[in-house]
């Protein structure tokens, strides 16, 4: 059975289009987001791929959710069931890795279109050593998740715990946080965020 295939997304072109639609210069976006002007330029030129945490900081300065940034407008509000191939990838590095044929180290796949819902649901896959970025990040809302397999190190504020299969987390997303698979095995997490803000 073949999975539905989403159109490829040029992350650099998309960021430039979003930024210019907001009438923001690269320098202004860099200042508001706390990343360097050079980083914005490199992302827009497709010479570097942002981490999840860096892209989240950039999009928060616009403001725009990651879900809206990666939206392909193909999921309608009435769709109830989603096949595995219909889940939308939200990690820019996973999209670039897929395009280049590399193995995706971190995959954040969203169920449906979060603009049509009060909750955002993700199927997360962390390869050994993968993480959401070197820096902790934050966003509005609350999030919860359950580890399905493997282990994941979760940092929320000044607290860090390694969670295994069956373990869970729940916290306010405004608290800076980070996820890191420091083990030698893949980790699968199913998570939810409300309201959708990621």
């Amino acid at each position: 059975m073949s999975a539905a295939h989403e159109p490829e997304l040029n992350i650099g072109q998309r960021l430039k289009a979003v930024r210019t639609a907001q009438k923001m210069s690269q320098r202004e976006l860099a200042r508001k987001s706390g990343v360097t002007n050079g980083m914005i330029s490199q992302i827009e030129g497709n010479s570097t791929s942002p981490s999840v945490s860096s892209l989240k900081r950039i999009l928060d300065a616009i403001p725009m959710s990651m879900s809206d940034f990666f939206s392909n407008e193909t999921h309608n509000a009435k769709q109830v069931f989603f096949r595995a191939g219909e889940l939308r990838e939200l990690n820019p590095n996973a999209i670039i890795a897929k395009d280049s044929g590399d193995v995706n180290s971190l995959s954040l796949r969203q169920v449906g279109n979060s603009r049509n819902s009060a909750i955002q649901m993700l199927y997360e896959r962390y390869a050994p050593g993968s993480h959401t970025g070197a820096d902790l990040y934050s966003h509005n809302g609350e999030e919860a998740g359950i580890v399905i397999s493997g282990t994941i190190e979760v940092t929320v504020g000044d607290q860090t715990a390694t969670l295994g299969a069956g373990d869970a987390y729940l916290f306010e997303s405004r608290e800076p946080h980070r996820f890191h698979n420091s083990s030698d095995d893949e980790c699968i997490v199913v998570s939810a965020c409300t309201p959708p803000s990621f």
Side-chain angles (χ1 to χ4, degrees), residues 6 8 41 50 54 56 83 96 98 106 135 146 153 171 173 179 181 188:
E6 289 188 10
E8 302 303 327
S41 178
S54 294
K56 180 69 179 130
R83 300 296 179 193
I96 290 167
K98 181 180 74 175
L106 168 61
D135 299 324
I146 297 176
E153 179 184 275
F171 60 89
S173 306
F179 296 83
N181 181 358
I188 303 295

Side-chain angles (χ1 to χ4, degrees), residues 6-26:
E6 289 188 10
E8 302 303 327
L9 174 71
N10 182 315
I11 293 166
Q13 272 183 347
R14 174 75 170 134
L15 180 59
K16 184 175 182 177
V18 166
R19 176 183 59 74
T20 56
Q22 294 293 316
K23 298 181 177 15
M24 295 175 77
S25 68
Q26 286 183 346

Side-chain angles (χ1 to χ4, degrees), residues 4 6 16 50 54 59-60 69 91 96 100 108 118 133 143 151 154 156 158-159 171 175-176 188 197:
E6 289 188 10
K16 184 175 182 177
S54 294
L59 294 178
D60 283 349
F69 182 79
N91 179 10
I96 290 167
S100 68
L108 304 171
E143 61 186 273
T151 60
V154 182
V156 180
D158 60 359
Q159 300 180 58
F171 60 89
E175 190 76 29
I188 303 295
S197 62

Side-chain angles (χ1 to χ4, degrees), residues 30-152:
R31 181 182 52 78
K32 286 184 173 183
S33 65
V35 303
T36 65
N37 183 49
M39 171 69 95
I40 302 287
S41 178
Q42 289 176 340
I43 293 168
E44 289 187 359
N46 289 312
S47 60
T48 192
S49 177
S51 67
V52 172
S53 60
S54 294
L55 183 60
K56 180 69 179 130
R57 286 173 35 204
I58 292 166
L59 294 178
D60 283 349
I62 289 178
M64 172 181 266
S65 72
M66 287 184 64
S67 177
D68 286 344
F69 182 79
F70 290 108
S71 176
N72 63 7
E73 303 297 329
T74 60
H75 299 296
N76 65 53
K78 298 185 190 274
Q79 186 173 358
V80 175
F81 303 107
F82 300 85
R83 300 296 179 193
E86 294 178 308
L87 303 184
R88 180 184 308 144
E89 181 60 63
L90 299 183
N91 179 10
N93 291 310
I95 293 168
I96 290 167
K98 181 180 74 175
D99 292 346
S100 68
D102 292 341
V103 175
N104 299 347
S105 63
L106 168 61
S107 174
L108 304 171
R109 295 173 50 218
Q110 176 179 277
V111 177
N113 185 337
S114 66
R115 284 186 283 173
N116 300 329
S117 180
I119 192 166
Q120 183 175 36
M121 189 83 161
L122 297 176
Y123 178 87
E124 305 177 26
R125 184 185 64 76
Y126 295 83
S130 65
H131 52 79
T132 53
D135 299 324
L136 280 74
Y137 64 100
S138 61
H139 49 96
N140 288 328
E142 293 181 312
E143 61 186 273
I146 297 176
V147 179
I148 304 302
S149 64
T151 60
I152 191 82

